[in-house]
Amino acid sequence: METIQLTKNMPVSSFHNFADDCIGTGRMGLALQRQYQEQLRLVQEKIGFKYIRGHGLFSDDMAIYQEYEDETGQKVAEYNFTYLDMVMDFYQEVGIKPYLELGFMPQKLASGDQTVFYWQGNVTPPRSYEGWCQLVQATLQHLITRYGRAEVVTWPVEVWNEPNLPGFWQDADMTEYFKLFKETFLAVKAVDDQFKVGGPAICGVDDVNWLQQFMAFCHEEQLAIDTVTRHFYTISDPETAGHYSYVTLREARESLTELEISRSIIDDYPEYRGLPMHITEFNTSYRPDSPLHDTNLNAAYIAQLLSRLGETSASYSYWTFGDIFEEMGVPFTPFHGGFGLVANGNIPKPTFWTFAFYKKLQKNCLYKGEHGLVTSDGKERFAGIFWNLTAEAMSFQLDFPEEVEKWCITSEVVDQQTANPLQSWHDLGEPANLSAEQRALLQQIAQPKVTTTVTSDSYSFTVQPHGVHYFEARPRKQTSDRGYDYQRVLAGR
Amino acid sequence: METIQLTKNMPVSSFHNFADDCIGTGRMGLALQRQYQEQLRLVQEKIGFKYIRGHGLFSDDMAIYQEYEDETGQKVAEYNFTYLDMVMDFYQEVGIKPYLELGFMPQKLASGDQTVFYWQGNVTPPRSYEGWCQLVQATLQHLITRYGRAEVVTWPVEVWNEPNLPGFWQDADMTEYFKLFKETFLAVKAVDDQFKVGGPAICGVDDVNWLQQFMAFCHEEQLAIDTVTRHFYTISDPETAGHYSYVTLREARESLTELEISRSIIDDYPEYRGLPMHITEFNTSYRPDSPLHDTNLNAAYIAQLLSRLGETSASYSYWTFGDIFEEMGVPFTPFHGGFGLVANGNIPKPTFWTFAFYKKLQKNCLYKGEHGLVTSDGKERFAGIFWNLTAEAMSFQLDFPEEVEKWCITSEVVDQQTANPLQSWHDLGEPANLSAEQRALLQQIAQPKVTTTVTSDSYSFTVQPHGVHYFEARPRKQTSDRGYDYQRVLAGR
Amino acid sequence: METIQLTKNMPVSSFHNFADDCIGTGRMGLALQRQYQEQLRLVQEKIGFKYIRGHGLFSDDMAIYQEYEDETGQKVAEYNFTYLDMVMDFYQEVGIKPYLELGFMPQKLASGDQTVFYWQGNVTPPRSYEGWCQLVQATLQHLITRYGRAEVVTWPVEVWNEPNLPGFWQDADMTEYFKLFKETFLAVKAVDDQFKVGGPAICGVDDVNWLQQFMAFCHEEQLAIDTVTRHFYTISDPETAGHYSYVTLREARESLTELEISRSIIDDYPEYRGLPMHITEFNTSYRPDSPLHDTNLNAAYIAQLLSRLGETSASYSYWTFGDIFEEMGVPFTPFHGGFGLVANGNIPKPTFWTFAFYKKLQKNCLYKGEHGLVTSDGKERFAGIFWNLTAEAMSFQLDFPEEVEKWCITSEVVDQQTANPLQSWHDLGEPANLSAEQRALLQQIAQPKVTTTVTSDSYSFTVQPHGVHYFEARPRKQTSDRGYDYQRVLAGR
Amino acid sequence: METIQLTKNMPVSSFHNFADDCIGTGRMGLALQRQYQEQLRLVQEKIGFKYIRGHGLFSDDMAIYQEYEDETGQKVAEYNFTYLDMVMDFYQEVGIKPYLELGFMPQKLASGDQTVFYWQGNVTPPRSYEGWCQLVQATLQHLITRYGRAEVVTWPVEVWNEPNLPGFWQDADMTEYFKLFKETFLAVKAVDDQFKVGGPAICGVDDVNWLQQFMAFCHEEQLAIDTVTRHFYTISDPETAGHYSYVTLREARESLTELEISRSIIDDYPEYRGLPMHITEFNTSYRPDSPLHDTNLNAAYIAQLLSRLGETSASYSYWTFGDIFEEMGVPFTPFHGGFGLVANGNIPKPTFWTFAFYKKLQKNCLYKGEHGLVTSDGKERFAGIFWNLTAEAMSFQLDFPEEVEKWCITSEVVDQQTANPLQSWHDLGEPANLSAEQRALLQQIAQPKVTTTVTSDSYSFTVQPHGVHYFEARPRKQTSDRGYDYQRVLAGR
């Protein structure tokens, strides 16, 4: 049993909690779908992220870039913002702003045929950089006209996605990417200098080299970039069987080193020192078919990461909010190891609650350990999260300051016995297509167990294996109505 | 541990389950209120009763009966159905039909000033029986015009409420009540012979005498009544302190004797033998300030009653669905011992779930005992409810038929550790006026704990003190998607 | 045809448009009702008032003031805020703040039995001023605790209603009212000095005398009152037949003199000069059974008043927003001459649109005449309202500034041919109880006729008898899509 | 002025009104979109069709047909019903059943690469007829499992779409289509003999030859087909400019001849005589870029067609309900000449109301002419529709039976002055992307003008050019409340 002593005047550090800054999404075209929207609505109601980032802004299903032949037979570009407006209007409806990833390449503007994913995003450089920059600028101008300059310049801009992988950028051609970056950077700033623009959006493959070269390039070209962006995944060795991948989690500590290295590469340049680093994607597994994503273990692991990511990074975007997602095809079953916080059928997964809990923390950090953290509002309200990545139960005791006579504690528990819809889905026989009744059952089972307790001095609790435990404590004042005697009620007479 | 053996061809009896037939309500005028409507909407969504019965159809806040002076100075009656339509339209909206209790007396039609309740229902006979009968007939005619004859004649009619109490009927004057009954009975039948009309709506005070005399009166007058109605409460000796009454529960068995006696009084008349007996009110305590109503003990006790009431009665109407109720004034606090299944703030109380569980039972009864019952649909689906009125945990084991290889069991548990919003409200300090946050917390805490399990042959479970345990069992068939291996998911690799 | 010339640099005056400041309501207890809430929701969606004022905060159906006997047999006050919170929570939901009229007297705190209205508000002085002041203070304190001090002190406070009528204040006893005013004023200010408190809430009977004496009293007692409040109705000689009153409208000009006199009585005191005068009730007829309220004539007359009321007064509260209202009993029919902007069945009356139109005006007044006004936003957007109180059509022409090539004009028309649900209700046979189909039809018919036009220089239009005509004009820019030719579409080939 | 005499016992014919039987839709994958669903919800609320038919059930965006390699390297089919269920669940939600058009070909099952439309539906025969039949059967079996056999067998089945066009079926190869038809027909009937199966779904190109050969083929092969299906469009000579096509309407009479010929080809076979002919697509223009679709002229023309189509056909499905549609790409503007009854932005077009009006007609036809028809319910309720395809106003007079004293007439008018959102959109400058305010304005302007009138004997009205006029007449009974005098209200005193 670990004991944590909370006192009135204990030293506090400020807690860099950016858990709600940004969230990932399937390609933008999917945002037209009703189920996508229902899932995001649920996420926004219970968590409430500020930004949303995903691929496919310029992919052909969004239909923005079009061409026609004029009378002289010349190709002329024209832009269609019908679907873009539907998506952006919806984002406004649910109170989220886009984090604009500029990509992939419209077929008609592409220099080649290489595509990525089941949904075939073209990943080749533009056949005309001028055409590309005009597309970027026309799109930003349209957004400014529709949503107002003051609003739109708060939408961060990122150039492309994971150019260090040949699958996402033809030949992973670094020189070509730097060209794309510079051209795009200047084009965006020409629309409005207040836009925050960043890159290189790399994943953890040859990342040290890429980042070093990218920073050197920006330095040489004197590009006053606003953010540096990268991705972060923490598994190794996926093994595939049928539609699924089984993976091995790495130690969080070990994984986090990657970020510290990135941080120091940036900070080596005086002009970029302290520049916000944005992890524009992170998760455990980088595959959308890893059943790990649906488990309580994933929730506990992410709880641990969220306690640490703010140390290096100003934003970290869990990849993704929901399971309407088609990178490897349309999922066959509601639980299929997708990235989402929400499974199809609008069922929150355990990791959903990890984010909901982080959202409720207070601003001062009183305690941060391997298995939990405690925050306060600087007055008499405490909130904390504890997690257990091991296979055995762990116990904790919190001692409260003495100044208060009674505390009312509300706790929310997510572990294998509660808020484990994956297990219930398995118990039901792993149905591929949920009936309305099954869906309702799983939604109900997916809720955390909420309890209240009254204590005068300390709060003891046990976190089960793979569990996440949230609590908040407030001073309790009893205001019984005339004649009401709870002890007598309990006694039944 | 009690063991119950379920086999494929075990003998079944049909289960007279009328738990969802009728529900009580505060006076009709309250049905105009938004919170009343929200509570009833919740009840209808999760349980779904057929009929709703309460007082005050003709009370002055419904404003139906009006008079004016014509040119000659004569009083002329006129009827105002503005509010009645609002109430009935709402009942249609939520799919419930009124069980029409005819009463109380409009002030202008009353022969005296005596009133009952904080809301002052006039309980005196009409100053003109002709005026009364015209009021009844005009109301029924209006309803027929608006909602259709076929529909309205399915709405049962009951004459007055508890005339055997002087508080509800001036002097508890039996002769006068019989007059009222006969006049009203004939007036209703004159509108349409298909109406089902009953009385005497007595409570358990001098009830044997009243019922004997009532049956004798109907027999002599050759009134072809359609139902006999009475009330049923099961506590004794309320003690009042401040705004509250603390009561003692009687043994269910002992209380049920009352109903058997009533049944036999009716059956003594050949022409009335087997006539439906309707318990148009029942509950534990007959006072709306008994904290007992809000407890898990109440839920378990009602679970026991519901297993037995169908043996004598064709309908039994829990008094009441919600806590928007003013008989003793407006409640000061959300939990105040009101009759409702739902506390103010739209928080389901434990007894709410007892009804929700009975609603889900199947038609065949396989087992009925002191602490539980098991039903089936005649095929391979089982559902049962178990309860525990004692202070110690009780364990049960159900053995399933061998023909099926695996069963998936869903259980829902309501006991002092789960679905006990009263305790959490106490933990919060018994606030009189819930904040939005507190209301949401209590609504969440009020949900049963739902779990799923897989078993091959038997299901063992423990019912905690004052707990109610619902389960259903269905054959399980696994249909894993290609490559999905749940054991591997659990193993985390 | 009147012609109005709008030019780029014409002189403007600022338009004191307080049409949306405050709206009246039936007694507070009615705010618990669903239909009341639906009507207010509609009003807030389409118009959006800041404040709502009505009677009955302390009347017995709100159940705030209660008493019990302690062990020594002494009466002790206790307060029940259950219903008050429901009402205030709802007001918050629809974005309206209460204008707190303190009254009437709880039965148990009253010195006599005199009541007003069908719903029996007690209009006698308190039997204990101390008890009254404690009630007022406890209520304000409760509101501050629940809704926050910063919010609650923005809720204006008015002491009682129309004490100059014996029906509303026993004997119209001026001395007693002044006592009530002073005690209450001091009690409120003792809770928080920021509260804005006013009176004497008089109607137009002996109003000059009352106001003079009231101001003299405040002056002598050195009460730093924040507002002076009065009422304003503009008809004479109601004649009653059955449930209805037929009335005669006075000339607006003549009626408005009353307000100018009040204004000058206030301004005679140096310390009160320019003090905000609030008309806390106004309408044409002061009776809730005047069919005039439901007509297009009423809408046109109110349009005229709204152009002028800001000249003397800082707030003017139309009495009332809806027809859930019981002062003379429950209405028998949906159209019954009630005060409301909305008829029962949620049908907007013509006057509803007068307010909706005033809400859309711009801040600068370019033109104000007997029959209309024109406003602008100081740029190139114009909005105006014209009305016709005569029995003959009137025509107008607006000449726009030349700087703009094309104008797109949107107009909304409410007259006897359009947005006249009263006539359609009559055509349907004046049904007392609307079917769902009839209700939908009348809601549809109640909408203004909306049209768009394009013009290059001037806008001519005709206002039909009793019509109200709203328009707005904006510069038009055509952005045809490639190949779209509207003239060809019109030509059908 | 045309006068139509209605008498009590005039001869009636039964009116074959199948206007609400079926409606067309963009490809099934679009049914996942929120805006698609909002448009269909609007259509179902106001009109309410029974069936919905469109392309793309088996196209790749629905993701049903999948393949994988087994251990031996063999391709094995597997089926993914994730998206299909979402679509079908939604159809259930809004009360519409699918009319199952079997097509197009999944890429992996196709014998070639030819595609149709911007969204690239593969239109080649299956590379394996066995694989195709298994796909069809697996899909039907899945639907039966999920929605119940009794329900699913009421969903009509049609084999492919317009095989007589080379664009829709490779080489318009008749022999290959007949093979496809027979194989599919037998496969469907093998699942359940109750399925109603039909073809050949041809359009009006070489249609006589195709239909003759198809019937001969069925006759020879002794296929007991359930329906014969074809399409029907009524324009000629589209001329394209930019994104749009301008077309010429043919005389309705002339066009209808096509259907009579089809009818007689079918009826020539004794075993097929009287077999239901289903027009599974019809509209004026067959291009989704014809501004004609958005006009009042289109509404009037369709009104005329709907009066006649039932003479030859048992179903006629307007192509389509809404403008979420991608056959020629994503529309650039809300009004773009799409097929839909509803424009993007959820704005009903004039033709929407034509269907809404036909839906409200009664079962007996009293009068049918070139410009209108009148129906009755066999009692005292009349309903009719009149239209005007000319450029001059037309006047009509209806004389009612004398037995009734007063009639209340409700009329709904759609013409160029009212319910013409296209013109207002033009007035606004033809904006490509509607603001929320513009959308609300256009939705309001798109409503018909509704009026009521009272008459004692006849109803005269004028239909403006391109107008559609709906009316219904019912006997009027006045039930004035005591004291209510409408004439006095009108007189204003």
Side-chain angles (χ1 to χ4, degrees), chain B residues 399-438:
Chain B
D399 293 343
F400 291 112
E402 287 183 359
E403 289 74 17
V404 168
E405 201 185 332
K406 292 268 186 188
W407 298 87
C408 175
I409 291 159
T410 306
S411 68
E412 302 191 38
V413 169
V414 168
D415 62 26
Q416 288 169 326
Q417 268 62 55
T418 183
N420 184 356
L422 180 66
Q423 185 224 301
S424 290
W425 174 71
H426 169 73
D427 288 349
L428 292 171
E430 303 179 11
N433 300 88
L434 298 176
S435 67
E437 190 191 0
Q438 290 172 328

Side-chain angles (χ1 to χ4, degrees), chain C residues 166 199 210 232 250 286 297 320 349 382 455 478:
Chain C
W210 264 76
F232 181 60
R250 290 192 315 228
Y286 48 75
L297 174 57
T320 62
K349 300 183 193 173
F382 299 95
T455 180
Q478 181 149 338

Side-chain angles (χ1 to χ4, degrees), chain B residues 20 92 111 206 278 380 414 462:
Chain B
D20 68 346
Q92 300 258 315
S111 59
D206 192 25
H278 287 187
E380 291 180 325
V414 168
T462 297

Side-chain angles (χ1 to χ4, degrees), chain C residues 157-174:
Chain C
V157 178
E158 185 181 38
V159 180
W160 213 258
N161 179 68
E162 301 193 359
N164 60 330
L165 286 189
F168 279 108
W169 181 242
Q170 197 172 271
D171 304 326
D173 182 332
M174 195 189 283

